[in-house]
């Protein structure tokens, strides 16, 4: 880390900083400038309880240098991780597409949707059985019955099942049915849950929290990885900004930024990322052009009757059109869908 | 809700909207304007799966009218809720101050801090035993041993214990020691956890998530209230914005805004809200002037050696000064600390 | 507009609201709901000084219905505007690419860059002669000498010149040299300047301010259009959010959102939108896939020596690669570059 | 500045960085760490076109150390600047209150308001004659006639006139009538305008842009100061965030943060900062508690009929109440209003 001293810092202030740095087992280098003094600290600062340094007299600011994540880093593993779950392959030049309704509502709905999205080229089926809802008065999902219906849809279509798990105690149950465990954006920093899925060997789709920095996002992945589960997909699904014309703001530059720093594949969710069905096709195509390793998209046979998220859900013909465009864009950037 | 039709919407589009509204058990009123038609919908729209309406042909936008929270609302309970937990009183003109370290680190540290903050006028003791940490490599708290030390500190000082619970399965354990269960900002939308604390009758301090809207914040409280636990304190602790000179941006206008809409008391955390010890006193005073019903502040005998959050932690003399200023400001706005 | 009354509003409150609405020349429709009353107001609310309504007793909120912009709207002009400036064509299926350095630094630099970007397929040349700089101590541009060098570069290459104008009094001077007048993001709401360029008939490239909503952006365009100048291009160049790993957050969903509401073409600036050269190619490709009508990109023969914005500037070989990818993606979405 | 090299940077990369640093006239210090190498650069980096360094091979990031502003800095002038304009004193323990309507609408309105706010304790009168409006279709002010009415109000009350100037060419005209020139938030980075008011010796009230960082804010002040005009007041008026329940988010921690770094006084605008009249009193009181050197507040005899900003405008009795509270809070923090 770099410790910047105040312009008027006293020699005693500097001494105290140096002693504190050394007591953390780190080595300080003092650089005396014309206006102020800077202390460069070498060594692994990650474990250090370094935040206290800022409260020492004469310290203006403390700037970290090392990225705080390790196992997720390209510096630890150079080649990209490819996540495989049955029919679904994400990473390594293959773009996996996960499609389906926000919530599992019934047998016909989920099996019909599964067939339609598979025929259009999807290799994963999404569908919520445990639906975290902002309001306690909203539909919270069919629970285990929903999981059973997802398993039926898998049997009928061969699609890999991607479904959300919302609490550590549900991991065994959901893990019996799911091919991929989804961690929702609201739970990105639910560390107990991250540890629980980290103890399984099921692939995990980790959604970015709407206010999470890249560092926090990768450190959340690190909780799963540190448990020994290396099958983690990062999912950009939009951040909260001042924009209100879209539900969230979908910042696609995170795709190449992440890919330069982590070996984990990056999936984009243009449905939550925009909140409006008529923006999904274009943003799906843009995600592929930006280099996304996968897409997760909400599709329903009749969006106007969907139990949740209807406004951002594609109907089947729109999803087919989206897939056609995405296939062409994928080819244009040297990749392949499916 | 108000359904705004597109300028070029067809009569058939309008018919379909009206049929869909009626199928939701709601009553539509059509208002034909010079440029476009608007459908005003009367009735309780909260339960309606109304989001799908936006995906109907000819619909430009759907604007909700009713606030989606109920039990938290002033319209349901006009008089303010006063939360009492032993020595701690929050609401009804009394400003409760909860102070203490980020993490419980040891017996001497916590008991010494408890004595110091009580002597300065605090009526609650904060201290983390289960510390959610952004990095899996950071200190995660002393767990049950930490709870025992908090209980010792309570015995030594009479202060009410406010400590975080991070998972539903920990609620019974933490509930045996704590006087107030804190829900951290990262868990504001951990609904399983909210339901678990909603089943207890212990007061709950619910921290606002850094990207939570007022509606989401009150709906999170509604999860606790719906379980029958009416002892909820809302805690503003700062939001994530583009500002980087503070750790979060502390928006104090939420205090009067919330107080006009909910009967629940509002507590402010100027430590997390700023991230820098030298801004805490002023923002604590500002919170009191803005009408806060309580404060929660990080205090440590030696912030530079704190296991976590050192940069934003007051030492004891600074906390005493802060309390002196806050007492005078409280008097100026007709309230009382303690 | 929709006026939502408070749950406890008095009949007198409602009367006062109705009288005030009528005094604005608008027609109110009262809808009495189970929980609260709503007043739907029909007529052109744009001119009305309606903000005062919210301060009347008993009013909970006022929701606008009509978009406040007119001339920019698709409802006024259905077919897309195609902007032409010499070699540069933006809109109507043709994607114009404007490339060049942040600042004009000298004859060799600008002519060499112009040749290189033209050979790679650009049809417009960017280059700042009047550079608004955050710091008064930074290089502020070569002023008129810079304009002369841009004219020389046009002569040498045939490229259309796109350059920024920062003050109304400079419009005649800059207009003598430029083919397109650029309004920078900092000046998006400099109305005097917008009016000044609105009085010319030169095409205008209007950059979105980093905190501008879609409505504010379109209303800024409306200032130019209202002056009679219909040749306006909107430019998305990133917004300010909590993200720090990129200079701004580039929200590409604005491209299809705007195209659905306005006939004006939409250009994207992936250089300012990311701030890092190694993210530009991917975000340029994503912009094309999202449907952008144009790109504006910073290119310099030696970015490490650029007088400004070096970190986000492509060198010539990188720009060539970017153009190759963009051409393929454009073909994939049925459009053409150049 | 600190240049952080990538973990896999080559010796040649480092050499190139060192040569480039030296060519900028700065002195590099190389610190070789276990994981990566860091180059600390000493000397005045402000003038350096350092952004290009990031584009050199092997460079991970470039962190500035020195604050880029100079004349505004406490390091240059330790004692606080006190701005005086007739009756108005801002800074040095005196809290100046500037009150009045958004727009000057007529003689009676402005003189009546001036008398009322003076009687309540205000020492400055605000009122827009040149009103920048988001929409070209809104009321744009009475122009010079408005300035004349402001001068009449000054004559009638003795209050100092604070009014906005929106373009460099208007500075002489507005300067003939105004005691303080206000630069609006939209023009915070209108550098030509900043330079124009910097050439006068009239006090300047510089409003923070809604997306401006502290650094950009102080650098905007620096444009005025660099012209030789030292009478600059900084005005916090709220930033744009994801919050929609207030018009802007008012971050009061900027008050003590700024006061620790600059000698310029800091004024707060709780009217624009909240957008709702019923939040103004509390936020005005909070501003005083946070240490503000001044307040600027919108007041109108009949807010429901105000030509602009009615929703956030206090009526006279509310302003009187606000002043009473603020006076008591000021005394509580050892300061005085007026």
């Amino acid at each position: 880390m770099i410790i910047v001293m105040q312009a008027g810092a006293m020699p005693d202030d500097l001494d105290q900083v140096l002693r504190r740095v050394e007591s953390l087992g780190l080595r300080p280098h003092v650089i005396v400038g014309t206006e102020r003094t800077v202390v460069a600290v070498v060594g692994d600062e990650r474990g250090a309880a370094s935040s206290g340094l800022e409260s020492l007299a004469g310290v203006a600011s403390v700037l970290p240098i090392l990225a705080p994540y390790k196992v997720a880093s390209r510096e630890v593993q150079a080649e990209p991780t490819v996540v495989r779950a049955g029919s679904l392959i994400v990473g390594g030049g293959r773009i996996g597409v996960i499609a389906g309704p926000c919530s599992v509502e019934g047998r016909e709905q989920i099996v019909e949707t599964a067939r339609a999205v598979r025929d259009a080229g999807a290799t994963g089926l999404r569908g919520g059985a445990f639906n975290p809802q902002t309001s306690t008065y909203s539909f919270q999902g069919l629970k285990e019955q929903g999981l059973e219906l997802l398993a039926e849809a898998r049997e009928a279509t061969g699609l890999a099942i991607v479904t959300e798990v919302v609490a550590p105690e549900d991991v065994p149950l959901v893990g019996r049915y799911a091919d991929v465990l989804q961690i929702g954006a609201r739970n990105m920093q639910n560390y107990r849950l991250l540890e629980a899925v980290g103890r399984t060997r099921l692939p995990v789709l980790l959604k970015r929290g709407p206010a999470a920095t890249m560092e926090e996002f990768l450190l959340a992945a690190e909780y799963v990885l540190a448990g020994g589960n290396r099958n983690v997909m990062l999912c950009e699904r939009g951040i909260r900004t001042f924009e209100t014309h879209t539900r969230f703001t979908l910042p696609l530059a995170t795709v190449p930024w992440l890919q330069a720093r982590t070996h984990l594949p990056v999936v984009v969710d243009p449905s939550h990322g925009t909140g409006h069905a008529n923006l999904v096709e274009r943003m799906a195509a843009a995600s592929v052009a930006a280099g996304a390793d996968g897409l997760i998209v909400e599709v329903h046979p009749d969006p106007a009757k969907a139990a949740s998220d209807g406004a951002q859900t594609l109907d089947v013909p729109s999803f087919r059109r989206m897939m056609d465009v995405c296939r062409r864009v994928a080819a244009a950037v040297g990749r392949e869908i499916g």
Side-chain angles (χ1 to χ4, degrees), chain A:
Chain A
M1 83 198 87
I2 302 294
I3 302 165
V4 182
M5 301 300 291
Q6 293 169 357
M10 298 287 132
D12 273 9
D13 297 340
L14 182 61
D15 279 359
Q16 207 188 348
V17 167
L18 299 181
R19 278 200 306 275
R20 180 90 184 106
V21 167
E22 282 159 358
S23 80
L24 293 168
L26 300 170
R27 204 142 44 84
H29 292 248
V30 179
I31 300 144
V32 181
T34 48
E35 298 198 27
R36 52 179 83 206
T37 294
V38 161
V39 181
V41 177
V42 177
D44 188 346
E45 70 200 53
R46 289 187 193 97
S50 56
S51 69
L53 285 165
E54 203 189 305
S55 59
L56 291 175
V59 173
S61 60
V62 177
L63 312 169
I65 291 178
L66 289 187
Y69 44 91
K70 293 179 195 172
V71 191
S73 165
R74 281 260 182 205
E75 296 180 5
V76 163
Q77 178 188 319
E79 67 279 10
T81 291
V82 180
V83 172
R84 285 161 212 274
S87 55
L88 180 68
I89 303 177
V90 177
R94 293 283 287 279
I95 301 171
V97 178
I98 302 158
C102 178
S103 312
V104 180
E105 297 164 13
R107 176 172 296 112
E108 199 187 310
Q109 173 241 22
I110 193 67
V111 175
E112 184 189 330
T113 308
R115 287 209 172 99
V117 300
R118 184 203 52 190
D119 292 352
T123 47
L125 176 68
R126 60 156 292 150
F130 292 88
N131 289 53
Q133 290 281 5
T134 304
S135 169
T136 185
Y137 308 117
S138 301
F139 174 62
Q140 312 264 334
L142 294 177
K143 311 275 162 36
E144 183 162 9
Q145 191 200 339
L147 296 172
E148 285 163 5
L149 295 175
L150 284 167
E152 285 190 41
R154 172 174 47 202
E155 204 141 316
T157 60
L159 292 176
I161 300 303
V162 181
T163 197
E164 181 161 354
V165 57
V166 300
E169 66 266 27
D170 292 356
V171 171
L173 172 67
V174 179
R176 272 205 301 281
Y177 294 93
D179 298 298
V180 175
L181 297 171
Q182 178 180 317
I183 303 293
R186 293 176 181 83
N187 279 318
M188 192 202 84
Q189 293 189 312
N190 183 338
Y191 301 122
R192 207 61 77 79
L193 178 59
L194 296 176
E195 288 166 350
V197 302
R199 282 189 295 269
T200 73
R201 290 301 171 265
L202 281 171
V204 172
L205 182 81
L206 176 65
K207 293 193 134 189
R208 180 185 184 186
T213 61
M214 286 295 97
E215 195 166 277
E216 290 168 342
F217 192 17
L218 287 167
L219 282 170
E222 196 89 1
Y223 266 91
V224 182
L225 297 166
N229 186 345
R230 299 301 171 93
N231 285 305
V232 177
M233 294 174 271
L234 302 171
C235 180
E236 172 61 77
R237 44 74 77 201
I239 57 170
R240 194 146 260 174
T241 73
F242 69 85
E243 295 198 320
T244 55
H245 66 287
T246 43
R247 185 176 178 187
F248 292 96
T249 293
L250 189 59
L252 294 181
T254 49
V255 176
W257 191 94
L258 281 168
Q259 289 170 337
R261 279 155 191 83
T262 180
H263 49 85
L264 302 173
V266 183
V267 173
V268 178
D269 177 346
S271 305
H272 287 84
T274 63
H276 299 285
N278 60 353
L279 300 173
V280 170
E281 177 187 313
R282 296 278 199 95
M283 291 309 280
S287 302
V288 171
D293 299 297
L295 295 172
I296 179 163
V297 181
E298 291 190 336
V299 180
H300 190 284
D302 185 354
K305 295 198 173 144
S308 47
D309 276 356
Q312 71 193 32
T313 298
L314 296 184
D315 58 17
V316 172
S318 304
F319 179 66
R320 251 187 247 125
R321 260 199 319 275
M322 183 206 98
M323 288 296 281
D324 287 346
V325 173
C326 287
R327 247 186 299 267
R328 291 197 303 270
V329 172
V333 297
R335 318 184 81 167
E336 197 186 340
I337 287 196

